[in-house]
Amino acid sequence: FYHMDLYGSKERFDIFPEELSGRGDRSLGDTRRESALSSEKVQRPQEVGYDLEKEVAELAKMYGLDEDREKELALLEGRLEKVESRWPPARAEKAGSQGSVYNSSKSSSSVKDPSQSTKQQGLPDEASQGEHQSKARADDEADSNMWSRGGLSSGSTSDEWNSQAVREEEEEEEEEAADVFCSTCKIPIRAFDKLFGEHKDHEVAQLPSAVESEKEEIHKNMCKLEEQIAQMENVASHLEEIFITVEENFGRQEQNFEVHYNDAVQVLAQKYEEQLEALGEEKRQKLEALYEQLVNCGKHLDTCKELTDETQELFLENDKAEFMKTLIFFPYNYRLEEFLKKEVDLELSALPDFEERVIDVSEVEQLMNSINAIPAPCAPVINPQAPSAATGTSLRVCWGLFSDDTVECYQLCYKPVSNERHSDEQAEHTLKVKETYCTITDLVPNTQYEFWVSALNASGISPPSERAVYVTAPSPPTIKSRKIRSCENAALVCWESRDLNPVDSYTVELSKLTDEENDDVITESIVGIPNCEVLIHLQPTQKYRVCVRAQNLGGSSERSEPVLIHTTGTCFYLNEDTAHPLLAILDDGFTISCDELENPECDLPVYDNSFTRCIAILGSLIPFPGKHYWEVEVDEDTEYRTGVAFQNTPRHGHLGANNSSWCMRHIITPSRHKYEFLHSGMTPDIRITVPPRRIGILLDYENCRLSFFNADIAQHLHTFNSHFQHYVHPCFALETPGILRIHTGIARPPWT
């Protein structure tokens, strides 16, 4: 916008102070020019303001910015004021040349007519005022013509001004705050630039949402960058490991080369020494042979000279008689003939040439060829035995190779460990495996084995690892079912080990059968049992399944065959070691019989603990406090004894005849059945009218009583009141041929 109003106003002289000195009375043309400029000042801003307002309204309606119309108008007015404020200095620069002409004309006019200026200072009349107005209009027209000509002649200057104005406008626009974001150009812009600038057809977004979107994108890129950093760190760490491995492999390879070189040099030195020694021996033999031949030759020459001298002396003899006499007594001719008959070895015994000797370097070549880029592996490290690595007949052995050596396979060796110092050397077994573990089968239970392993590749075999001792798990124990003792609240379970070597401990697994149909079980375990028996506390009137496991360093054995224990009554077994030789135990284990009693003190073999006089047997010890009940089924025509006794009761006496046994005795007399209750050989006078067929015996440790009952009719027979210092054994004896049947594990009757 070119505003010309300032050039016809008072402010123009403030902008161009140099015109004040040369400017006098203005002509009519100047006045007219000023009026024309003032009229143009009024028209142009109105026209420009009208066009801008209309255009802004149309654009606001097009883009839906009606509500921001007032704001945009205020922004446009501010921009218009800024353009107007920049106009005068720019226009003054454009009109430099015309301004000089204009000033010179004004100054000349002022010099030519000084009287007019004087008149102008006074009060003008009407004629002078009219004349002055006409001159002003003429001056304005001349000025307008002059400015128009100057504008046509200075096009280049106008272009420079336009570019400078655009640059200043862009700088001011940049100084203004951006409120939207151009998605196409990826820069923040103003909303005005979206309406009128180069971003008019670009896609824009609100600045906060664009900032959030860019932040999210930056965050994603940062995450990717962190991942790349982590990957690069891993790669760098791996490269460091590879670097270290390269250094280690180089060191091993260098050491390998050095070893092979030393071996080759040693082999060459050994070959050299061998060949040199052989050459020296050959020299010695040649020299000895030549020397011997030389000595023989010298002896032969001496003999020849001697014979020659003697022959010459003989020939020089003049007396013929002496000559013949000498030949007779000294047979020179014979000696000469004999000497000449001897063959003289004129050939050399040893030639001066030596045998050509060549050092055999095949071994060296083999050593050199064995140098490979892949060195022989290092020794593996065998792992100690894992807790679950053993069964009764197998072992799982594991090892590791803590290096980057190339390994094709492993060689595992093992042998049993012998505890005896002077035993024969155990045979070694060797296996080749690909993995770093191996399961060896067909082993002996509860036995220690020694293992060591080596690694193999194309270059050779590594040194063996340190030896590790593994042990197989034990065999399942065998429960002695006939020797189980139990009562209503406890049981004593015995078993035996099937292994030759001792085990560390045993574990008893207890299962209470709560429902026979569903076979529900509640399992408990008793661990750390050092011996082959254990006393278990149970609940009365229950049924239990009992299994035993053996434990050692290798682990646990399989379960033993289970046995059932009923806690309805006392159970014991008969001790065969205490039985008299004439007493037999039937297959059920609880029936004893005797067929003959003619010679109780027979010559049959007996055990050290057997009865020798009384045909008796002891039951197993009842080691449980409380009350214990069992029954003995007898025949009326059999004489017997039954009761309890200490372990140390005399084996050569009768039951009840000492203070270590208590028993009930049945004797058949011609008149009646007699019953005695013996202790220390004494019995009370008791008569039993109904002979019992089933005798019930109640042992009460707590109340120190031993009672006998006729179980068939629930009749109390007798009670011993005695303080039992030790646990006792049930005892049974037959005094006439017959049988006794013992019933154990039965519930104690309520009438006891």
Side-chain angles (χ1 to χ4, degrees):
F1 307 102
Y2 301 100
H3 303 283
M4 306 300 294
D5 56 336
L6 292 178
Y7 288 88
S9 63
K10 185 179 179 180
E11 287 78 2
R12 180 178 182 278
F13 299 103
D14 296 334
I15 299 173
F16 303 101
E18 67 275 7
E19 297 181 2
L20 296 177
S21 60
R23 187 169 182 177
D25 297 335
R26 294 183 296 177
S27 61
L28 181 61
D30 296 336
T31 304
R32 292 177 179 176
R33 187 165 49 253
E34 290 179 359
S35 63
L37 290 173
S38 63
S39 63
E40 185 179 0
K41 178 189 74 173
V42 175
Q43 293 176 359
R44 286 186 178 178
Q46 290 179 355
E47 293 176 359
V48 172
Y50 175 79
D51 295 337
L52 287 175
E53 183 177 0
K54 183 177 180 180
E55 186 177 359
V56 168
E58 292 178 356
L59 291 174
K61 184 176 181 181
M62 182 184 299
Y63 291 99
L65 300 176
D66 294 338
E67 54 186 12
D68 297 336
R69 183 177 180 182
E70 296 180 358
K71 182 178 179 181
E72 297 295 336
L73 289 175
L75 180 62
L76 290 175
E77 290 177 358
R79 289 173 57 82
L80 183 60
E81 291 176 358
K82 292 180 181 179
V83 172
E84 290 176 352
S85 65
R86 291 198 304 269
W87 172 261
R91 187 59 181 269
E93 294 174 359
K94 291 181 180 181
S97 59
Q98 292 83 352
S100 63
V101 177
Y102 178 80
N103 291 334
S104 62
S105 63
K106 293 292 182 182
S107 62
S108 64
S109 62
S110 61
V111 172
K112 288 180 180 180
D113 196 5
S115 61
Q116 292 182 358
S117 62
T118 306
K119 291 180 180 180
Q120 289 177 357
Q121 295 178 358
L123 294 174
D125 52 4
E126 293 179 0
S128 62
Q129 290 179 356
E131 185 181 359
H132 179 69
Q133 291 177 356
S134 63
K135 287 182 178 181
R137 283 194 296 271
D139 293 339
D140 291 338
E141 291 176 359
D143 285 340
S144 61
N145 294 331
M146 187 184 299
W147 282 112
S148 62
R149 288 193 299 269
L152 292 173
S153 63
S154 58
S156 60
T157 306
S158 177
D159 294 338
E160 294 177 357
W161 178 85
N162 289 334
S163 61
Q164 182 179 0
V166 170
R167 285 196 300 271
E168 292 178 357
E169 184 178 356
E170 289 178 353
E171 292 176 358
E172 291 180 359
E173 289 175 356
E174 290 177 357
E175 292 177 357
E176 296 182 7
D179 50 3
V180 294
F181 181 78
C182 179
S183 302
T184 304
C185 301
K186 301 295 182 181
I187 57 173
I189 61 174
R190 300 170 303 153
F192 182 82
D193 295 334
K194 168 63 179 172
L195 297 176
F196 306 105
E198 60 182 356
H199 306 283
K200 183 175 181 180
D201 298 330
H202 294 177
E203 183 180 356
V204 298
Q206 294 297 325
L207 192 60
S209 61
V211 169
E212 293 297 329
S213 177
E214 291 297 326
K215 285 183 178 180
E216 292 180 0
E217 190 68 22
I218 291 173
H219 179 69
K220 292 179 181 179
N221 293 332
M222 287 296 295
C223 293
K224 294 180 180 179
L225 183 61
E226 290 176 357
E227 292 178 359
Q228 290 184 1
I229 291 173
Q231 292 177 357
M232 293 304 297
E233 288 178 351
N234 293 334
V235 171
S237 176
H238 183 64
L239 289 176
E240 291 178 359
E241 294 177 357
I242 296 299
F243 182 87
I244 296 172
T245 304
V246 168
E247 291 289 343
E248 293 177 352
N249 290 339
F250 171 76
R252 286 197 296 268
Q253 191 67 17
E254 183 181 14
Q255 184 179 4
N256 186 31
F257 286 157
E258 184 177 357
V259 170
H260 281 76
Y261 171 76
N262 293 333
D263 292 342
V265 171
Q266 185 177 359
V267 170
L268 285 174
Q270 183 179 359
K271 295 289 185 181
Y272 171 76
E273 293 293 337
E274 291 176 357
Q275 294 295 334
L276 188 62
E277 183 179 357
L279 187 62
E281 180 67 21
E282 185 179 359
K283 173 187 173 183
R284 185 186 62 81
Q285 293 177 0
K286 285 179 178 294
L287 292 178
E288 287 180 355
L290 291 173
Y291 178 76
E292 184 179 0
Q293 189 176 10
L294 182 61
V295 170
N296 294 332
C297 185
K299 290 180 180 180
H300 191 76
L301 287 175
D302 292 339
T303 306
C304 289
K305 287 181 180 181
E306 181 181 356
L307 291 174
T308 302
D309 294 339
E310 291 178 356
T311 304
Q312 288 179 356
E313 290 178 1
L314 183 61
F315 272 100
L316 293 176
E317 184 66 38
N318 296 324
D319 191 356
K320 297 181 180 179
E322 288 294 330
F323 177 78
M324 296 302 295
K325 187 177 180 180
T326 303
L327 288 176
I328 295 172
F329 290 99
F330 301 98
Y332 290 103
N333 193 18
Y334 175 76
R335 289 176 57 193
L336 185 58
E337 291 178 357
E338 290 295 328
F339 178 76
L340 294 175
K341 287 181 180 180
K342 294 181 179 178
E343 294 182 359
V344 180
D345 189 6
L346 300 179
E347 295 181 0
L348 294 176
S349 59
L351 298 176
D353 297 331
F354 284 85
E355 180 185 355
E356 291 185 2
R357 298 182 179 274
V358 180
I359 297 178
D360 185 10
V361 295
S362 60
E363 187 174 355
V364 178
E365 292 178 354
Q366 184 178 1
L367 286 173
M368 298 304 295
N369 292 332
S370 64
I371 301 177
N372 199 318
I374 302 175
C378 298
V381 178
I382 195 165
N383 299 339
Q385 183 172 356
S388 59
T391 65
T393 58
S394 66
L395 285 171
R396 180 182 174 87
V397 184
C398 301
W399 59 89
L401 187 68
F402 297 97
S403 66
D404 295 331
D405 296 335
T406 302
V407 177
E408 295 180 359
C409 64
Y410 296 92
Q411 180 176 291
L412 179 65
C413 303
Y414 67 96
K415 68 175 182 178
V417 176
S418 178
N419 296 327
E420 300 180 3
R421 295 182 179 179
H422 303 289
S423 62
D424 296 335
E425 185 68 20
Q426 299 289 340
E428 295 183 2
H429 303 274
T430 303
L431 297 174
K432 286 190 177 181
V433 293
K434 293 288 187 180
E435 297 80 9
T436 57
Y437 60 88
C438 182
T439 301
I440 299 93
T441 57
D442 299 331
L443 302 178
V444 180
N446 195 31
T447 304
Q448 292 182 343
Y449 288 87
E450 194 175 30
F451 290 89
W452 63 97
V453 63
S454 301
L456 291 86
N457 63 10
S459 299
I461 184 170
S462 72
S465 65
E466 296 291 335
R467 301 199 176 195
V469 176
Y470 281 51
V471 59
T472 53
S475 300
T478 301
I479 299 178
K480 301 177 181 179
S481 57
R482 290 194 175 186
K483 293 187 177 182
I484 293 178
R485 289 161 279 176
S486 63
C487 63
E488 293 181 353
N489 52 15
L492 183 65
V493 182
C494 302
W495 60 86
E496 62 181 359
S497 175
R498 295 164 52 187
D499 300 323
L500 297 177
N501 299 323
V503 300
D504 296 339
S505 63
Y506 295 93
T507 298
V508 174
E509 296 181 353
L510 207 58
S511 302
K512 183 169 68 173
L513 305 180
T514 58
D515 189 351
E516 293 184 357
E517 295 181 358
N518 298 329
D519 199 25
D520 293 335
V521 295
I522 301 174
T523 303
E524 298 177 359
S525 297
I526 304 172
V527 299
I529 303 170
N531 302 320
C532 290
E533 65 177 23
V534 64
L535 180 63
I536 309 171
H537 295 282
L538 305 174
Q539 297 177 359
T541 65
Q542 299 293 334
K543 184 169 68 172
Y544 294 88
R545 179 186 290 114
V546 178
C547 299
V548 182
R549 293 178 184 265
Q551 305 281 342
N552 66 1
L553 293 176
S556 175
S557 70
E558 298 293 331
R559 287 190 180 96
S560 65
E561 291 294 330
V563 295
L564 295 178
I565 296 178
H566 299 269
T567 57
T568 54
T570 300
C571 293
F572 56 85
Y573 63 91
L574 298 178
N575 192 349
E576 298 180 4
D577 296 340
T578 63
H580 189 277
L582 295 178
L583 195 65
I585 302 175
L586 302 186
D587 294 339
D588 61 357
F590 292 96
T591 302
I592 59 175
S593 65
C594 180
D595 296 334
E596 56 181 348
L597 295 177
E598 295 179 357
N599 186 13
E601 297 181 1
C602 61
D603 296 333
L604 295 175
V606 296
Y607 297 102
D608 295 338
N609 200 28
S610 300
F611 286 94
T612 58
R613 186 175 181 182
C614 179
I615 305 175
I617 187 173
L618 294 180
S620 59
L621 186 70
I622 301 177
F624 316 114
K627 297 180 180 181
H628 305 279
Y629 180 82
W630 65 92
E631 294 179 353
V632 181
E633 186 178 352
V634 299
D635 293 332
E636 292 183 1
D637 54 353
T638 302
E639 295 182 358
Y640 56 87
R641 299 184 187 214
T642 182
V644 297
F646 289 136
Q647 174 67 30
N648 59 355
T649 188
R651 301 296 192 264
H652 58 278
H654 292 277
L655 296 176
N658 47 59
N659 60 358
S660 60
S661 59
W662 298 259
C663 70
M664 171 184 173
R665 181 186 182 190
H666 174 229
I667 304 172
I668 301 175
T669 62
S671 59
R672 63 185 179 88
H673 294 275
K674 183 179 180 180
Y675 294 91
E676 296 177 345
F677 296 91
L678 298 170
H679 177 63
S680 299
M682 300 178 61
T683 179
D685 187 10
I686 298 176
R687 291 181 178 268
I688 299 175
T689 57
V690 179
R693 300 288 304 271
R694 196 178 184 97
I695 301 172
I697 302 173
L698 177 64
L699 173 63
D700 189 351
Y701 280 121
E702 296 177 356
N703 296 319
C704 303
R705 284 189 270 183
L706 177 65
S707 301
F708 296 88
F709 300 90
N710 185 343
D712 291 334
I713 60 176
Q715 180 185 12
H716 175 258
L717 301 178
H718 179 68
T719 297
F720 289 101
N721 293 308
S722 178
H723 180 68
F724 301 106
Q725 298 179 354
H726 308 285
Y727 290 120
V728 297
H729 297 255
C731 57
F732 312 92
L734 288 171
E735 296 184 349
T736 59
I739 60 174
L740 294 178
R741 295 183 178 87
I742 298 100
H743 299 274
T744 64
I746 57 179
R748 181 164 55 89
W751 37 263
T752 58

